[in-house]
């Protein structure tokens, strides 16, 4: 019934910021998927007879890998797998299923916001029993194992029926196919005042939710249209497609430009939002105003107590280092903890488990809370709606009031995608070597007060993560940060994060890129971006 297959290791199965992401043809190499999944199982202890959750964002190759993963789980001794119907579970929904059903862990099949299709991206990520991405200790063990693996185990059984809700058997193991939306929608009802949001919508408030032909389509339909009474047509691009209709399912101003343009038009809706391939990212746009993810984190944190799930206040806020400091000012006012972590949701897990942080967020369009252990796109949309329903103000009014209270952190990210890897590494190495000499010097008329290579000391498990991005701080609270992306699948991507703090309300209506122009020039001069990459302009500005 089970067979052991002899295999040879691959040397490139190192999980990145969020699991292993590669082009589909790389995953389709003989034994490639099996080697990685076996390396995951070999890095875990104590799962015999326990439950594994399997689900993905529905992209090309999802259904095949679900079958492989379930058969390998059976052969390795799991007692039960829970699978989303059609192999589908959004990333936050998978996190919730792991927690709710007390599973040992889960395999999430997704390359998130990266494009999908036969020649595009795929990914596999392991989440632990708290529902969150495996911490570095485990991802490092998986990579080490993948370099020495010699065999894997798999059930010699026909495929199970991935589309039939209910129980089946795969050898001795139970397979339970579940509705991907139900548990998640129930959780949302416990956190938010659905009556208040329903009343807001009934009063004529209009919204648009763009699922970008990715996994949140069925979640948006069920929650926004069926449970909250938004009219049909509120959800757009809601049919999940294996190639996302040929688009990048990345909810930013470049790939969700149509939504942005709609919200900037005079007859557009009051509120617009989008989510990504696997449903963990969000884009929030009010009528006439885009809310940066960093600002969204700060505004949600400042108002979260208005939603039932957070009415007793927040224990603390956490943000990734490149995320703007807007939330820090909220934490200071609320007199609660503020934590600055490396990029990657996995770093929030310990803080959430320890009850030190309640809300977390990242500049990369991610916000979430202790309700699951992943960022959660639809959760952010619902928290915004709950706040709007209670405050009876527009998004624009809430933003301006927030800036007047806390000051405004102008913020942007410039990505140099697909650049030569050696050039990108050299840029970082050269800059790193100059860091000690920078404080006290000036560039483009801006005085540098501090420069370092960010290292994180986890306050819970005391682990240390080094080389998490180079930050250069200027007098007055402005800064530029350089990092290499850990989620790309071709060449290297340099991310330049730019931030300026502006306390004066009379200067809160500047155009963002104009407000940051001198810092961008300083960043170019400091790192010689053109010299190292041949580019003088970013490929994506968000
Ligand atoms: C993943 C991680 C996030 C991270 C983002 C960008 O998001 O979960 O924590 O901020 O990648 O990472 P990088 O800058 O290294 O490309 P997702 O939505 O892709 O899973």
């Amino acid at each position: 019934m089970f067979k052991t297959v002899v295999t040879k290791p691959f040397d490139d199965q190192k999980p990145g910021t969020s699991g292993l992401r590669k082009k589909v043809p790389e995953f389709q190499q003989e034994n490639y998927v099996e080697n990685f999944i076996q390396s995951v199982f070999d890095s875990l202890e104590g799962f015999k007879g326990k439950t594994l959750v399997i689900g993905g964002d529905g992209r090309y190759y999802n259904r095949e890998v679900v079958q492989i993963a379930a058969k390998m789980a059976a052969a390795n001794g799991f007692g039960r797998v829970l699978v989303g119907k059609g192999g589908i579970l959004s990333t936050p929904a998978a996190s919730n299923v792991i927690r709710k059903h007390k599973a040992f862990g889960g395999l999430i099949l997704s390359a998130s916001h990266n494009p999908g299709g036969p020649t595009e991206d795929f990914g596999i990520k392991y989440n632990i029993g708290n529902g969150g991405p495996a911490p570095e200790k485990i991802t490092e063990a998986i990579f080490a194992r993948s370099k020495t693996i010699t065999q894997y185990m798999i059930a010699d059984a026909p495929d199970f029926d991935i589309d039939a809700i209910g129980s089946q058997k795969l050898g001795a193991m139970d397979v339970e196919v579940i509705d991907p939306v139900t548990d998640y929608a129930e959780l949302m009802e416990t956190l938010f005042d659905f009556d208040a949001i329903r009343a807001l919508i009934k009063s004529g408030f209009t919204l648009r939710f763009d699922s970008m032909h990715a996994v949140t389509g069925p979640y948006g339909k069920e929650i926004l249209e069926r449970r909250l009474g938004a009219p049909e047509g509120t959800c757009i691009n809601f049919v999940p497609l294996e190639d996302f209709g040929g688009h990048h399912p990345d909810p930013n101003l470049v790939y969700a430009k149509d939504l942005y343009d709609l919200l900037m038009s005079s007859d557009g809706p009051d509120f617009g939002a989008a989510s990504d391939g696997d449903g963990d990212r969000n884009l929030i746009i009010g009528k006439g105003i885009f809310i940066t993810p960093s600002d969204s984190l700060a505004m949600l944190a400042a108002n979260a107590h208005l939603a039932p799930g957070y009415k007793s206040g927040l224990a603390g806020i956490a943000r990734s280092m490149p995320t703007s400091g807007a939330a820090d000012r909220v934490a200071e006012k609320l007199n609660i903890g503020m934590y600055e972590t490396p990029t990657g949701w996995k770093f929030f897990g310990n803080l959430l488990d320890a009850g030190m942080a309640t809300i977390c967020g990242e500049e990369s369009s991610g916000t979430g809370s202790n309700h699951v252990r992943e960022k959660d796109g639809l959760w952010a949309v619902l928290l915004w709606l709950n706040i709007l329903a209670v405050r009876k103000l527009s998004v624009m009014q809430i933003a301006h009031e927030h800036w007047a209270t806390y000051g405004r952190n102008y913020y942007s990210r410039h990505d140099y995608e697909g650049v030569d890897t050696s050039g990108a590494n050299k840029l970082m190495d050269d800059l790193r070597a100059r860091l000690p000499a920078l404080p006290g010097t000036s560039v483009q008329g801006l005085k540098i007060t501090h420069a370092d290579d960010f290292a994180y000391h986890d306050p819970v498990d005391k682990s240390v993560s080094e080389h998490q991005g180079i930050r250069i701080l200027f007098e007055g609270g402005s800064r530029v940060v350089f990092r290499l992306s850990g989620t790309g699948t071709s060449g290297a991507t340099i991310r330049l994060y730019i931030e300026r703090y502006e306390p004066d309300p009379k200067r809160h209506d500047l155009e963002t890129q104009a407000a940051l122009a001198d810092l961008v020039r300083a960043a170019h001069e400091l790192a010689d971006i053109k010299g190292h990459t041949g580019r003088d302009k970013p490929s994506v500005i968000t």
Side-chain angles (χ1 to χ4, degrees), residues 412-446:
S412 183
R413 187 177 95 188
H414 291 194
D415 292 335
Y416 293 78
E417 294 177 327
V419 300
D420 174 56
T421 306
S422 57
N425 287 333
K426 183 141 189 331
L427 180 151
M428 295 297 284
D429 290 344
D430 287 357
L431 190 55
R432 198 174 285 120
R434 293 178 50 212
L435 291 177
L438 290 179
T441 64
S442 289
V443 53
Q444 297 281 330
L446 298 160

Side-chain angles (χ1 to χ4, degrees), residues 124-378:
I124 307 180
K125 175 168 86 157
Y126 179 70
N127 279 29
I128 59 175
N130 74 353
E136 276 191 332
K137 198 169 77 171
I138 296 181
T139 56
E140 278 161 13
I142 295 169
F143 181 45
R145 181 64 186 154
S146 75
K147 290 188 288 191
T148 60
I149 189 167
T150 55
Q151 60 181 48
Y152 64 83
M153 287 185 293
I154 188 161
D156 199 3
D159 286 356
F160 69 94
D161 187 347
I162 200 172
D163 298 306
I165 288 188
S167 298
Q168 306 170 44
K169 281 275 183 198
L170 213 168
M173 187 182 77
D174 293 316
V175 177
E176 201 152 325
V177 178
I178 58 173
D179 180 90
V181 179
T182 314
D183 285 339
Y184 180 82
E186 279 169 11
L187 175 64
M188 293 301 115
E189 290 204 339
T190 67
L191 298 175
F192 303 115
D193 186 344
F194 271 43
D195 287 339
I197 302 174
R198 216 175 281 123
L200 174 76
I201 292 170
K202 210 163 176 213
S203 73
F205 179 91
T206 50
L207 66 150
R208 193 66 56 96
F209 179 63
D210 186 349
S211 290
M212 307 188 86
H213 286 302
V215 77
T216 55
Y219 295 84
K221 274 277 185 197
E222 173 64 25
I223 295 171
L224 298 173
E225 292 188 4
R226 289 193 202 104
R227 299 196 186 201
L228 289 170
E232 218 168 297
T234 295
C235 295
I236 56 171
N237 300 323
F238 57 84
V239 177
L241 300 174
E242 285 197 334
D243 67 350
F244 310 115
H247 300 291
H248 281 242
D250 191 355
N252 63 28
L253 297 184
V254 176
Y255 299 117
K257 185 161 185 313
D258 290 352
L259 184 72
Y260 176 79
D261 290 344
L262 179 72
L263 268 291
M264 295 305 129
S265 67
S266 55
D267 53 356
D270 298 306
F271 182 83
S275 192
D276 70 331
D278 61 333
D280 56 2
R281 295 186 174 207
N282 72 84
L283 170 72
I284 301 292
I285 314 176
K287 196 186 191 68
I289 186 168
F290 159 61
I291 304 293
T292 68
S294 295
D295 269 352
S296 183
L297 170 66
M299 292 169 194
L300 291 178
N303 292 285
H305 60 280
L306 301 174
Y310 307 93
K311 66 173 187 297
S312 51
L314 309 179
I317 308 172
R319 64 164 171 85
S320 66
M321 181 275 281
T323 305
S324 96
D328 302 30
R329 296 173 194 283
V330 176
E332 197 181 340
K333 182 147 187 232
L334 295 175
N335 197 21
I336 56 175
M338 181 73 224
Y339 305 92
E340 188 177 34
T341 61
T343 294
W345 205 263
K346 58 183 176 242
F347 292 102
F348 294 135
N350 280 345
L351 297 169
L352 292 166
D353 284 352
M356 295 163 79
T358 308
I359 282 190
C360 309
E362 294 188 279
E363 52 67 38
S364 56
S365 306
T367 353
S369 85
N370 58 357
H371 68 292
V372 289
R373 292 295 180 273
E374 288 280 4
K375 55 190 188 278
D376 188 344
L378 208 41

Side-chain angles (χ1 to χ4, degrees), residues 410-492:
Y410 283 100
Y411 188 85
S412 183
R413 187 177 95 188
H414 291 194
D415 292 335
Y416 293 78
E417 294 177 327
V419 300
D420 174 56
T421 306
S422 57
N425 287 333
K426 183 141 189 331
L427 180 151
M428 295 297 284
D429 290 344
D430 287 357
L431 190 55
R432 198 174 285 120
R434 293 178 50 212
L435 291 177
L438 290 179
T441 64
S442 289
V443 53
Q444 297 281 330
L446 298 160
K447 184 152 183 216
I448 298 173
T449 54
H450 182 89
D452 70 5
D453 188 359
F454 180 62
Y456 179 58
H457 297 256
D458 187 306
V460 180
D461 68 13
K462 310 292 176 207
S463 61
V464 179
S465 305
E466 292 182 310
H467 306 303
Q468 297 295 329
I470 292 177
R471 37 178 201 181
I472 296 161
L473 278 56
F474 300 95
E475 221 164 47
S478 300
R479 64 172 191 165
V480 292
V481 173
F482 292 87
R483 247 192 93 243
L484 298 185
S485 160
T487 56
T489 54
S490 45

